[in-house]
Amino acid sequence: MDEAGTSNIFYVPTPSLPSITPPDSYDRFRSQSVPLIIDNGSSNLRFGFSTSASPQSSPNVIAKYKERKFNQSLLLFGDAIDTESGAKSQGKTPWEGDVLLNFDAMEHALDYACVRLGIDAEGIDHPVLMTERLCSPLHSRALTSELMFEQYSVPSLTYCVDSVMSFYHNNKPISGSTFNADGLVVSFNTASTSVIPILNGKGVLSHAKRIPWGTQQSTEYLLKLIQLKYSSFPTRVTSVQASWMLHNFCSFATDYPAVLRSLKIPANMRAAERIIQFPFAIPVIEEKTEEELTRIAEKRKEQGKKLQELAAKSRMEKLAKKETDLQYLTSLKEGKSENKREWMHVLQVEGFDDDAALDETIRKLEVDVKRARKKDPDGQDDVVEEPSFPLIDVPDADLDEEGIKEKKKQKLMKAGFDARARARREKEKEREEKEAEERREEGERGNNFDDWAARLRREQETIMNKIKERGRRKAALSDRKSAAAQARMKNIASLAADERVSKKKRKAGAEDMFGADDEDWQIYRKLNAAAVSSDEEEEFNQLRIIESKLLMYDPTFTAQHTHASITSQRSALISAFRPQYEEGDIEGSARIHLNTERWRVCETYFSPGMAGVDSAGLGEVLQSILARFTEAEKARLVKNVFITGGPSQFPGLQERLYGTLRPILPPEMHLGDIVRAADPSLDAWKGMASFANTDEFHQVGVTAEEYQEWGPERIKRWWGGNCNSAV
């Protein structure tokens, strides 16, 4: 890559060890009944007393791990899990998606909160205000209430919806007045995204909706896109790293199709990309002295020479054997007996079923011998004196049994010698023809170089077109609906449906003549298009010869014009989408280029179907909710559209929501600015703390006596909580 492309490189942060924070002092809260605020989020647990300025926070994950060095069982929570590599795989959260189910982990999380707050009493003698999900299942609420009242002996417990409390914090009434704000709350959570309309300070939860897409699913989707794009990435990309990339480089597009159209230009894609540099290790290369390098080179040269000698010897042995076999089978065919039964007996003894099998074997041996002679043109150039074969002309009657055997052996040896002599003559003839062709071509090149170069280029283009057409056919055969694939199936069907020669016709002399014509064998080439035929191999060899001549004599023909270079070239758009680094560039191979993924991941909030989730998008949900209200109520809602949660900080979200809401509203209806929470991560806790310090808080909680009377599922109905099973 060029230097301009390296200006937007970002390095993956290295994880740091968590700091040890001593527990807070509990003395100033002891026996004070100060409300305890717990924001039980899927990602983070935030807790603290309502009089505190800010909460304490920790990742809401726990792991039971057995330390091997001292053979001790450890219970790790939050950041402490990162200190033990073996504990990461055993981490467990209290949440399963968007439902609180793992209450063992929930109990350990609450124990951790009590330790950090310094609570050393037998129970929690403080009213508790705790978050729960929108439309939380009664089973989950019942187990949570049972845990709080039975295990921790809390005097009262109040549940609230975190997004409503974040809205309350950002629209707090003046001291002494009631909360009666209107607005449309869009909450981006870890495992879901919910939309809650609020009128007169009360959440209209009967019209609220939730889609099953959140930060967790977006992180997994980004990770899958990266794994698909970089299938052979040298290091493992973790979910934590994918989450870091999501929160730092992804954004919402006001017009997603328009963004994709602009990225079709390679320069725009390069300008929009973000390069993520992952850690890499430079291999240690052992430097060797010149003497050692010389010794290694000589050793390799000797080994290569030995291998060449062994390969040449092996080729000669195989060639000699094939020539001997060919001569023997040829003589066998020439001595064919007129008696058909005897001839069939001879064929069966030699391992052939009929004359066609013998002819096919002879044809294959001739082709193999000819090809081997071409590959080893200098293997038989030495002049060999003709050996003597004294027993060949002696009649069999004058020989004993051993003499007859020796005579047969000498016949075979003479046949092999004659075959090698013919091969030498053929090679000499081919060499002369080749030299004559080179002289003719050299004269043509000297007399009219332009015509010679143009002719070779035309030949190169013709061969490349054949290769390209063959590749297209192979690609078409992979699609069963293509014309090539259907033609192949027709050929198979016609072969299967061919009428075979019956036994009666065979006895009458009729034979199946398939294979008598060389064109008959082309059907197998059509059926098995993936197999490399001898013609293809010959075309590649011819192409290499033509390109080598052009590279040697034509200055305008460079390596970029060769077939190998043309086929290896990638389109500019693909190169911008996933740049290729040179082999051996360890730093470059450890980079991830984010371009289309930056907007594609966030677009799933509005089109979950892109990621395979069968759900309505955020725009459809907003339209469905607003359609349930009158025009006057709708106008009050859209004047204050409020977004909260971690993803609400992604760039472009406010503009995208405005562009989504404006077309579905009447032109005359005023659409206010999309307001983001002042602190999307902490505003829910701060709103809960502010509400807990009011007199209204003590009227909406379920006391221990009411819990014993009503059971764990019942709650009191109020503007900030769920309404299912409320009184």
Side-chain angles (χ1 to χ4, degrees), residues 437-438 441 445 449 452 455-456 543-554 557:
E437 178 66 22
E438 288 178 354
E441 187 174 355
R445 186 172 60 248
F449 178 80
W452 174 83
R455 178 176 62 81
L456 288 187
L543 184 62
R544 282 193 288 268
I545 293 172
I546 292 173
E547 290 177 345
S548 64
K549 291 179 181 179
L550 288 171
L551 286 172
M552 185 179 299
Y553 298 107
D554 190 353
F557 188 87

Side-chain angles (χ1 to χ4, degrees), residues 414-674:
K414 186 175 187 307
F417 179 81
D418 293 341
R420 286 191 290 274
R422 284 195 302 271
R424 285 195 294 271
R425 288 193 296 271
E426 290 176 2
K427 279 189 279 189
E428 185 65 27
K429 185 179 179 181
E430 289 178 1
R431 185 183 293 110
E432 291 175 357
E433 292 177 353
K434 184 178 180 181
E435 290 175 356
E437 178 66 22
E438 288 178 354
R439 287 194 297 270
R440 186 191 63 78
E441 187 174 355
E442 185 176 355
E444 182 184 355
R445 186 172 60 248
N447 296 331
N448 196 337
F449 178 80
D450 294 338
D451 291 347
W452 174 83
R455 178 176 62 81
L456 288 187
R457 284 179 179 254
R458 286 195 300 271
E459 293 178 2
Q460 181 207 23
E461 186 177 359
T462 302
I463 297 175
M464 287 196 301
N465 289 336
K466 289 182 180 179
I467 296 173
K468 189 183 296 183
E469 184 63 30
R470 192 179 295 114
R472 287 179 185 154
R473 176 175 173 79
K474 290 180 181 179
L477 286 175
S478 62
D479 183 7
R480 62 183 180 87
K481 295 183 178 180
S482 64
Q486 292 178 3
R488 178 175 179 269
M489 294 305 298
K490 287 180 180 179
N491 290 330
I492 294 175
S494 63
L495 283 177
D498 279 346
E499 294 183 359
R500 301 302 174 192
V501 179
S502 63
K503 292 183 178 179
K504 291 182 179 180
K505 290 184 179 180
R506 279 201 207 104
K507 290 181 179 179
E511 293 184 4
D512 186 359
M513 299 303 295
F514 179 84
D517 188 359
D518 289 341
E519 295 296 328
D520 295 342
W521 303 100
Q522 295 293 329
I523 186 66
Y524 293 112
R525 193 171 297 171
K526 291 180 181 179
L527 297 181
N528 188 13
V532 179
S533 65
S534 58
D535 294 343
E536 295 177 47
E537 186 178 353
E538 188 68 27
E539 287 175 358
F540 278 110
N541 292 334
Q542 187 178 357
L543 184 62
R544 282 193 288 268
I545 293 172
I546 292 173
E547 290 177 345
S548 64
K549 291 179 181 179
L550 288 171
L551 286 172
M552 185 179 299
Y553 298 107
D554 190 353
T556 61
F557 188 87
T558 63
Q560 296 180 353
H561 298 93
T562 61
H563 176 258
S565 177
I566 293 172
T567 54
S568 62
Q569 287 178 356
R570 308 166 83 235
S571 71
L573 185 61
I574 296 297
S575 298
F577 177 70
R578 186 179 184 269
Q580 292 285 348
Y581 291 88
E582 295 181 0
E583 187 176 356
D585 188 352
I586 303 175
E587 182 180 7
S589 62
R591 289 176 179 173
I592 287 178
H593 292 252
L594 294 179
N595 31 59
T596 58
E597 299 86 2
R598 296 181 56 204
W599 294 276
R600 181 176 179 177
V601 175
C602 292
E603 184 64 20
T604 52
Y605 281 94
F606 292 87
S607 300
M610 292 173 55
V613 177
D614 187 13
S615 172
L618 191 54
E620 298 171 76
V621 169
L622 288 169
Q623 184 176 9
S624 174
I625 290 175
L626 291 175
R628 295 170 177 261
F629 294 94
T630 63
E631 293 298 316
E633 292 173 336
K634 189 187 300 184
R636 291 164 57 190
L637 290 173
V638 297
K639 281 183 180 178
N640 185 15
V641 180
F642 177 78
I643 57 177
T644 184
S648 65
Q649 303 175 79
F650 289 172
L653 176 58
Q654 291 169 288
E655 294 80 3
R656 177 60 186 273
L657 277 177
Y658 189 92
T660 302
L661 286 170
R662 185 67 272 177
I664 63 178
L665 297 176
E668 67 277 2
M669 185 175 292
H670 173 68
L671 175 60
D673 295 334
I674 311 296

